[in-house]
Amino acid sequence: MTRLTVLLLSAVTAWPLGAPAAAAEPRPVKVQHKTVKVGDLDIFYREAGPKDAPAVLLLHGFPTSSQMFRNLIPALGDKYRVVAPDYPGYGHSSMPPRDKFAYTFDNLAKVIDEFTEKVELNKYALYVQDYGAPVGYRLASAHPERITAIVVQNGNAYEEGLDNEFWKPVKACWKDPNNKEKRDALRALLTYDATKWQYTHGLRHPELVSPDGPAHDQFLLDRKGNDEIQLDMFLSYGGNPPLYPKWQEYFRKHQPPVLIAWGKNDKIFPAEGAEPYKRDLKTLEFHLLDAGHFALESHGDEIAALMRDFLGKHAAKK
């Protein structure tokens, strides 16, 4: 046997048949951008991950859309089916005129409820932020059997979360809904300065936040007629606090596992709104982050890591 033959045989013995020369690089997650019909509405959504993987439904807040999850979706999509829709009047979904569609939280929740059925989300974990909380908690209390876990990022379900300066002019509108002056006073919340403020307030390093998010949001806010839609939604928010006892009862009765990942410097939904969750939930992971209203902008990697650990324990096998 020649020396060359010995070397070749040794190499074959040491290298398992069919084994790669090096560990395969993880494949990048591809995010799909789709639209589905819900009644007469086109509902836009972003999706990534295997169809048969545990599902996570991401519900956005104001004044944004599913674009707020542009970085979180690929951070989870290797292991989970991640779905993020735009509500009617937001993002790239239909924006029917107000005389054709009533812009209320009840109606937004109905649309998203039907959306989940259209895209075959039979069981899912919820991520709720801002407006996503009243939409998501309507879904959870109506279909508790569908909810595997909940991630709360500055999403309110307690009166303590609304006891601050930001809500005073909004509450004034609730008390006098036909008062045009009080309604018009809320238009300041629809300006580009207000949108940028939501992205950057409460941050030690606002320069790390890309200006693309608020610019994208403002472009869509500035569409003709969208200002009146947003003012309708401010008014409709007054219908959420009366439902807080129902949602809290859902927490106590069904005890969904909950991860709080809350920007503690938020002036809209401050940390006072996070603390009461401790009263009603037994399986609770609680994190106050040194972030603002859009915590994903500054702490996206940290939140993604918290979610992967949390979902792995509570949602991966359900």
Side-chain angles (χ1 to χ4, degrees), residues 106-242:
D106 282 344
N107 281 342
L108 262 56
K110 288 176 184 177
V111 170
I112 298 305
D113 195 6
E114 187 173 343
F115 165 82
T116 64
E117 295 174 358
K118 287 283 183 126
V119 300
E120 299 180 339
L121 287 180
N122 301 315
K123 278 188 174 291
Y124 50 87
L126 275 173
Y127 183 113
V128 299
Q129 189 264 355
D130 190 84
Y131 280 11
V135 173
Y137 293 153
R138 279 171 169 82
L139 301 184
S141 57
H143 309 291
E145 74 284 355
R146 298 181 184 177
I147 307 303
T148 59
I150 301 176
V151 179
V152 185
Q153 191 255 293
N154 298 73
N156 199 54
Y158 296 87
E159 289 284 354
E160 291 93 325
L162 300 181
D163 188 18
N164 58 71
E165 288 295 320
F166 177 87
W167 289 98
K168 286 185 176 180
V170 183
K171 289 179 177 180
C173 194
W174 297 347
K175 292 179 180 178
D176 195 2
N178 296 318
N179 187 309
K180 186 177 184 300
E181 183 178 354
K182 291 180 180 178
R183 179 181 173 95
D184 286 343
L186 302 181
R187 293 183 185 277
L189 300 176
L190 306 179
T191 64
Y192 186 41
D193 284 344
T195 301
K196 287 191 296 182
W197 174 82
Q198 290 201 52
Y199 273 82
T200 57
H201 79 272
L203 300 183
R204 293 186 182 184
H205 299 287
E207 69 276 8
L208 297 178
V209 173
S210 170
D212 298 339
H216 179 281
D217 293 347
Q218 195 64 39
F219 173 80
L220 296 169
L221 279 177
D222 288 343
R223 289 174 293 173
K224 184 177 180 181
N226 195 263
D227 56 342
E228 297 298 334
I229 288 171
Q230 300 306 329
L231 295 176
D232 286 350
M233 290 302 298
F234 290 152
L235 182 61
S236 178
Y237 203 98
N240 293 326

Side-chain angles (χ1 to χ4, degrees), residues 64-127:
T64 188
S65 63
S66 62
Q67 76 86 16
M68 71 170 282
F69 302 117
R70 64 195 181 279
N71 297 320
L72 182 63
I73 294 172
L76 300 176
D78 62 320
K79 190 173 181 180
Y80 298 94
R81 182 188 177 196
V82 190
V83 179
D86 291 346
Y87 312 138
Y90 294 81
H92 302 290
S93 288
S94 293
M95 191 183 77
R98 296 163 62 233
D99 60 346
K100 302 294 184 183
F101 182 87
Y103 285 90
T104 67
F105 282 92
D106 282 344
N107 281 342
L108 262 56
K110 288 176 184 177
V111 170
I112 298 305
D113 195 6
E114 187 173 343
F115 165 82
T116 64
E117 295 174 358
K118 287 283 183 126
V119 300
E120 299 180 339
L121 287 180
N122 301 315
K123 278 188 174 291
Y124 50 87
L126 275 173
Y127 183 113

Side-chain angles (χ1 to χ4, degrees), residues 283-301:
T283 305
L284 176 66
E285 297 184 21
F286 191 90
H287 301 270
L288 293 181
L289 309 175
D290 190 16
H293 187 66
F294 286 115
L296 285 174
E297 296 294 316
S298 59
H299 289 66
D301 290 344

Side-chain angles (χ1 to χ4, degrees), residues 263-285:
K264 67 180 181 180
N265 305 323
D266 189 0
K267 297 299 183 183
I268 302 171
F269 294 115
E272 287 81 358
E275 295 290 339
Y277 282 91
K278 296 176 180 178
R279 295 200 297 256
D280 296 320
L281 294 160
K282 296 177 182 178
T283 305
L284 176 66
E285 297 184 21

